[in-house]
Amino acid sequence: MSDQTTCRRDARPRRLILAGAHRQPGYCLTCGIRAQSVCSVIDDDDIARLAETAVETLVLPGRSFIEEGAAATDFYNITSGSVKLFKALPDGRRQITGFATTGHFLGLAVSDQYAFGAEAIDTVRLCRFSRPRMRQLMDDFPRLERRLLAEASNELVAAQNQMLLLGRKTARERVASFLLERMREAQDPAEDVPLPMTRSDMADYLGLTIETVSRTLSWMRTERLVAIGKGHTVRIIAMERLQTLAAGDAA
Amino acid sequence: MSDQTTCRRDARPRRLILAGAHRQPGYCLTCGIRAQSVCSVIDDDDIARLAETAVETLVLPGRSFIEEGAAATDFYNITSGSVKLFKALPDGRRQITGFATTGHFLGLAVSDQYAFGAEAIDTVRLCRFSRPRMRQLMDDFPRLERRLLAEASNELVAAQNQMLLLGRKTARERVASFLLERMREAQDPAEDVPLPMTRSDMADYLGLTIETVSRTLSWMRTERLVAIGKGHTVRIIAMERLQTLAAGDAA
DNA sequence: CGCCAGATTGAGTGACCTCAAAATCGGTGG
DNA sequence: CCACCGATTTTGAGGTCACTCAATCTGGCG
């Protein structure tokens, strides 16, 4: 099998130990993305507890900050940028299980090992919480646990959709589904879809090769379904036809 | 695409509304599978609350009791038998997202619609809880919520493994992974693996066709990796070689 | 301008799918 | 016990969609 996907920018992505520091009690009060993250369940009165627990960290593009199989010591909350989550086989085949962006919470694991790796796509800023501290927070704020359950349930639904895609959809249907998902995920609700990830990442997410992704996008361009813009964006032209394709209604 | 998989025993599986009745307060005290289910987080003192909420239901083989897209009104806890969970495309293509057996909890959904369907493989006995009552129980017993979060996290890990399988593994690797998973899942830890589901279900779970599943099992038999027994069982002969294959170490 | 990683395009192959037929299993009734 | 029937499974033959290998093109950057 091809190992194109293993030829990464860094042959062995090293873990970034960028220390960062615990924040001042008022830190989380001014956090711009608090409203859209799990942190929103903690009131202003108690937010100092959270701020003391959080460690802000910067991760450079291409750097990995969770290693599959490593001891699961921390939880992460992404405050800016986007990351890819993945699993790998011994021979280098990779499956990206999801992309996470601003506001996403990472690191849920019952086991004491991470079940997946995580790598920054662009420059990523995140808040790190140690497991014991997080556990303490969950004990003290049941709403936090409820929110995490909701978060996990949503991810489970997304995972089931992805299984349907990987198991039963054609290449064209996969790419169409992907573009629509990226559109929904984008903060700005325009029809210009940002695709910060490489073709290789798209392929590893969709269970395809980079060539097939590229060919399929070219086909969509000639079919006037999309226009491929400069700088990692795609403009959706024929929304309805793309939706029909993604839903698997037409061959 | 083939619609072999849509030719079910029942062309249109009807929802089974087998009423069942609320249980006596002492009912859950004697439940044999309480220890291995979410119900274990509720003490003997409070178990009457749970018993009053539960409605025991019987589902016959091949009958569906959760319909994809239907209003999510209930949670379910399986007390015996096994069920398949699945998603479908408009043209009949199906992806089984998982199998659930004794002790499993079903119905987590943030949305008000079920994201998947569920159908009994053999005769299934289950406890049904209405969402409002379940919500009340979660309010009263935070340990229940914690347990559900743990359950959801485990399912998330399983889903990620399945995405790796569907996206990147070969047919042989998929079937090997499946047999080992079924072995781990079996209560009786022998090397005789029970496979209550049909080839069609296996195919829809592994993202293959029934022919490929059948051919792959035949290949494993001639390679002396397994022996195919009567009555939906497979005996694993070469455990280590099968594990190597499932892990994707060898081609 | 030259370099290089990433992306596109082309040609040929192969793993799995499709269609079709034969074999086996499980249940039923004589 | 055995013959029969439908459903499921297995096996066979051929086709195809996505993969592999390889060459070319593009864009960002020193």
Side-chain angles (χ1 to χ4, degrees), chain A residues 16-68:
Chain A
L16 181 76
I17 315 281
L18 217 170
H22 283 238
R23 291 347 241 173
Q24 300 306 314
Y27 178 65
C28 293
L29 266 176
T30 59
C31 175
I33 62 105
R34 177 170 156 217
Q36 50 185 308
S37 81
V38 294
C39 306
S40 63
V41 303
I42 300 191
D43 296 329
D44 282 3
D45 298 342
D46 296 314
I47 200 74
R49 286 277 316 276
L50 187 62
E52 288 160 10
T53 301
V55 179
E56 201 190 20
T57 307
L58 187 79
V59 185
L60 297 175
R63 289 305 179 86
S64 120
F65 60 96
I66 295 180
E67 205 178 338
E68 185 181 350

Side-chain angles (χ1 to χ4, degrees), chain A residues 55-103:
Chain A
V55 179
E56 201 190 20
T57 307
L58 187 79
V59 185
L60 297 175
R63 289 305 179 86
S64 120
F65 60 96
I66 295 180
E67 205 178 338
E68 185 181 350
T73 55
D74 297 291
F75 293 92
Y76 299 90
N77 201 8
I78 301 173
T79 54
S80 82
S82 45
V83 312
K84 52 191 177 201
L85 313 175
F86 56 88
K87 290 181 71 77
L89 292 171
D91 64 2
R93 281 174 284 173
R94 265 192 352 161
Q95 179 63 37
I96 291 182
T97 56
F99 297 102
T101 54
T102 306

Side-chain angles (χ1 to χ4, degrees), chain A residues 145-186:
Chain A
E145 206 145 34
R146 173 157 302 187
R147 171 67 186 242
L148 289 177
L149 178 57
E151 198 100 348
S153 301
N154 279 330
E155 283 190 48
L156 223 32
V157 170
Q160 287 161 354
N161 283 326
Q162 194 66 0
M163 287 190 245
L164 178 62
L165 180 147
L166 292 170
R168 291 300 181 213
K169 287 188 181 177
T170 66
R172 287 173 182 180
E173 289 165 353
R174 292 182 201 202
V175 174
S177 302
F178 176 71
L179 293 178
L180 293 171
E181 182 183 86
R182 286 299 98 199
M183 191 195 66
R184 282 193 300 271
E185 202 74 11

Side-chain angles (χ1 to χ4, degrees), chain A residues 198-199 211 214-215 218 232:
Chain A
T198 63
R199 293 282 183 271
E211 294 94 331
S214 183
R215 269 187 254 273
S218 296
H232 286 271

Side-chain angles (χ1 to χ4, degrees), chain A residues 168-236:
Chain A
R168 291 300 181 213
K169 287 188 181 177
T170 66
R172 287 173 182 180
E173 289 165 353
R174 292 182 201 202
V175 174
S177 302
F178 176 71
L179 293 178
L180 293 171
E181 182 183 86
R182 286 299 98 199
M183 191 195 66
R184 282 193 300 271
E185 202 74 11
Q187 16 270 62
D188 141 42
E191 282 168 343
D192 253 334
V193 182
L195 301 175
M197 66 291 293
T198 63
R199 293 282 183 271
S200 175
D201 287 340
M202 290 172 54
D204 284 346
Y205 181 58
L206 298 174
L208 301 169
T209 59
I210 51 178
E211 294 94 331
T212 299
V213 170
S214 183
R215 269 187 254 273
T216 304
L217 283 171
S218 296
W219 173 82
M220 285 180 173
R221 179 163 39 71
T222 64
E223 289 287 316
R224 308 231 174 282
L225 290 168
V226 302
I228 291 160
K230 309 277 178 192
H232 286 271
T233 66
V234 167
R235 171 178 289 275
I236 294 175

Side-chain angles (χ1 to χ4, degrees), chain B residues 25 36 38 73 82 86 96 109 113 116 122 124-125 155 161 172 179 195 207 214 222-223 227 236 242 244 249:
Chain B
Q36 50 184 308
V38 293
T73 55
S82 45
F86 56 89
I96 291 182
Q113 295 191 333
F116 54 86
D122 42 28
V124 168
R125 221 173 288 275
E155 283 189 50
N161 283 326
R172 287 172 183 180
L179 293 178
L195 301 175
S214 182
T222 65
E223 289 287 315
I236 294 175
L242 209 61
T244 306
D249 262 316

Side-chain angles (χ1 to χ4, degrees), chain B:
Chain B
M1 203 154 275
S2 165
D3 60 345
Q4 284 178 103
T5 59
T6 63
C7 300
R8 319 298 315 149
R9 187 170 315 188
D10 261 326
R12 37 159 190 149
R14 283 156 304 172
R15 173 114 186 237
L16 182 76
I17 315 280
L18 217 169
H22 285 237
R23 291 349 242 173
Q24 299 307 314
Y27 178 66
C28 293
L29 267 176
T30 59
C31 176
I33 61 105
R34 178 171 155 215
Q36 50 184 308
S37 82
V38 293
C39 306
S40 64
V41 301
I42 300 193
D43 297 328
D44 283 2
D45 298 343
D46 296 315
I47 200 74
R49 286 276 317 276
L50 187 62
E52 287 160 12
T53 300
V55 178
E56 201 191 20
T57 306
L58 187 79
V59 185
L60 297 175
R63 289 306 180 86
S64 119
F65 61 97
I66 295 180
E67 204 177 340
E68 186 181 349
T73 55
D74 298 289
F75 293 94
Y76 299 91
N77 200 9
I78 301 174
T79 54
S80 82
S82 45
V83 313
K84 53 193 177 198
L85 312 175
F86 56 89
K87 290 181 72 75
L89 292 172
D91 64 2
R93 282 175 283 171
R94 265 193 351 164
Q95 179 64 37
I96 291 182
T97 56
F99 296 102
T101 55
T102 305
H104 275 86
F105 185 84
L106 294 182
L108 276 185
V110 174
S111 136
D112 53 358
Q113 295 191 333
Y114 292 117
F116 54 86
E119 190 180 311
I121 292 175
D122 42 28
T123 297
V124 168
R125 221 173 288 275
L126 42 79
C127 282
R128 186 153 52 87
F129 305 91
S130 79
R131 275 168 86 88
R133 280 166 179 271
M134 194 71 191
R135 165 53 52 109
Q136 187 62 50
L137 280 174
M138 286 200 260
D139 286 339
D140 297 346
F141 304 103
R143 291 179 64 196
L144 180 57
E145 206 145 33
R146 174 158 301 188
R147 171 66 186 245
L148 288 177
L149 179 57
E151 199 100 348
S153 300
N154 280 330
E155 283 189 50
L156 223 33
V157 170
Q160 287 161 352
N161 283 326
Q162 193 67 359
M163 286 190 246
L164 177 63
L165 179 147
L166 292 170
R168 289 302 180 213
K169 287 188 181 177
T170 66
R172 287 172 183 180
E173 290 164 353
R174 291 182 201 202
V175 174
S177 302
F178 177 70
L179 293 178
L180 293 171
E181 181 182 86
R182 285 299 99 197
M183 192 195 65
R184 282 193 300 272
E185 202 75 10
Q187 14 271 62
D188 141 42
E191 283 168 340
D192 253 335
V193 183
L195 301 175
M197 68 290 293
T198 64
R199 293 281 182 273
S200 175
D201 287 340
M202 290 173 55
D204 283 347
Y205 181 58
L206 298 174
L208 300 170
T209 59
I210 51 179
E211 294 94 331
T212 299
V213 170
S214 182
R215 270 186 254 273
T216 305
L217 283 170
S218 297
W219 173 81
M220 286 181 172
R221 179 163 40 72
T222 65
E223 289 287 315
R224 308 230 174 281
L225 290 168
V226 303
I228 291 160
K230 307 279 178 188
H232 286 272
T233 66
V234 167
R235 172 179 288 275
I236 294 175
I237 295 174
M239 176 67 75
E240 208 150 317
R241 279 206 294 152
L242 209 61
Q243 284 169 335
T244 306
L245 186 55
D249 262 316

